[in-house]
């Protein structure tokens, strides 16, 4: 029998960290949540050291979050950014978040890898907020970020996706370094 | 309430087209199945004009298939290639298909877009078989393929993923052209 369905889940502790009543207004608050998700994901043993979140750009309302679930779910697609995007789209009932109006932001604890980079091109977001740089991910946590277009930022901005980097970069680096050293990122 | 789970499904007609008893031995048989899936997906109204399949390289055994499910599932990640890869990984219980040995092939009716390109880097496949070219997808079916690394084939081959193109390209182009013209691809 060929498999015809697939279920992907986030860990149950998400509700302890992500606050649906709060309005996440600044870039730092938004990436801060993504980094806290990355930290908790390692501390609680539910996946790799990456977190992401999708917000309504203007209200700061949290639409969905994601953490890396590759190993627990046996799914190389289950990165933090892709989980957050898929869950936000499901909630919105739209495969391109901003297609019916509204503006959306994806915040990630680290620069998206080649897979998440490609995915965010189609997801209907208006801005990408990044904590750690790719070189941090590779040097500190020993993950491969994969091949990107040479001008990956320009490719996004030409598609009306603004890119803002180095937001709470030191905080994001701390989680990656602790993960890379085999410790608990607290 | 934040969404914590996501379900993705293939249409129920898949079993009419994909034959789990057959051994798909040649590149043409493998891409031929992907193209037939793309054709049926449009004809049956279950998504966009793209199909994909994952095979065990040596036996030709079919592991999983995928078709484009973006609109029916409100999910920009639900491309044919990503569906096939996720379902194959779930079946194998491995997030990187070839990590426990064995060799795997992904066949796609058309050149992977930027999202599927990035995804296949991590999926644990040993070869990528392609029907239509990116320019066919863009010119005939009016889809954007997105930004890729300049030497996208070289980036894969350096990661031990062989790339073979133009397999049954005319057949794949026929489906795309019919879709682009708004007709049923028969």
């Amino acid at each position: 029998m060929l498999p015809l369905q697939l279920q992907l889940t986030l860990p149950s502790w998400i509700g302890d960290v992500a606050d649906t009543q709060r309005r996440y207004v600044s870039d730092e608050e938004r990436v801060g949540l993504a980094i806290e998700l990355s930290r908790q994901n390692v501390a609680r043993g539910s996946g790799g050291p990456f977190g992401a979140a999708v917000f309504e750009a203007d209200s700061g309302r949290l639409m969905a979050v994601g953490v890396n679930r590759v190993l627990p779910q046996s799914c190389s697609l289950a990165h933090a950014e892709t989980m957050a995007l898929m869950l936000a789209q499901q909630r919105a009932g739209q495969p391109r978040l901003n297609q019916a109006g509204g503006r959306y932001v994806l915040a990630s604890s680290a620069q998206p890898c080649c897979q998440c980079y490609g995915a965010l091109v189609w997801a209907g977001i208006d801005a990408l907020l990044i904590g750690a740089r790719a070189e941090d991910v590779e040097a500190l946590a020993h993950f491969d970020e994969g091949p990107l277009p040479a001008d990956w930022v320009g490719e996004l901005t030409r598609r009306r996706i603004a890119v803002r980097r180095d937001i709470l970069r030191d905080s994001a680096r701390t989680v990656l370094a602790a993960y890379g050293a085999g410790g608990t990122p607290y």
Side-chain angles (χ1 to χ4, degrees), chain A:
Chain A
M1 278 287 289
L2 285 176
L4 296 183
Q5 60 180 322
L6 177 84
Q7 193 168 41
L8 296 171
T9 62
L10 293 181
S12 56
W13 57 259
I14 290 290
D16 302 343
V17 174
D19 183 352
T20 56
Q21 300 306 307
R22 181 171 161 188
R23 293 297 172 263
Y24 295 82
V25 178
S26 69
D27 287 357
E28 287 71 21
E29 287 174 272
R30 293 170 182 182
V31 175
L33 174 60
I35 295 170
E36 183 58 20
L37 289 164
S38 76
R39 187 192 327 271
Q40 293 286 342
N41 203 38
V42 180
R44 306 204 191 207
S46 45
F50 304 100
V54 175
F55 303 90
E56 289 180 350
D58 299 324
S59 71
R61 179 170 164 252
L62 182 60
M63 288 286 291
V65 304
V67 291
N68 177 291
R69 296 286 282 163
V70 170
L71 293 180
Q73 311 251 297
S74 296
C75 182
S76 66
L77 270 290
H79 285 197
E81 298 95 323
T82 47
M83 292 294 293
L85 292 170
M86 288 191 284
L87 289 164
Q89 290 167 348
Q90 174 184 262
R91 182 171 180 177
Q94 305 274 8
R96 194 177 279 255
L97 285 166
N98 58 9
Q99 75 190 51
R103 294 168 58 243
Y104 296 87
V105 172
L106 173 67
S108 182
S109 63
Q111 183 184 318
C113 76
C114 59
Q115 165 176 282
C116 297
Y117 176 78
L120 67 88
V121 171
W122 309 137
I125 61 167
D126 299 279
L128 169 65
L129 311 180
I130 299 173
R133 291 198 169 219
E135 61 251 39
D136 301 330
V137 174
E138 296 186 335
L140 299 173
H142 317 305
F143 283 89
D144 183 359
E145 287 273 271
L148 290 180
D151 182 21
W152 65 271
V153 172
E155 292 285 0
L156 295 180
T157 53
R158 279 190 285 281
R159 288 162 192 271
R160 299 173 194 274
I161 301 170
V163 179
R164 296 196 286 279
R165 294 195 273 181
D166 297 337
I167 301 164
L168 304 180
R169 181 180 177 190
D170 286 346
S171 173
R173 282 173 52 92
T174 300
V175 177
L176 296 170
Y179 176 87
T184 301
Y186 272 112

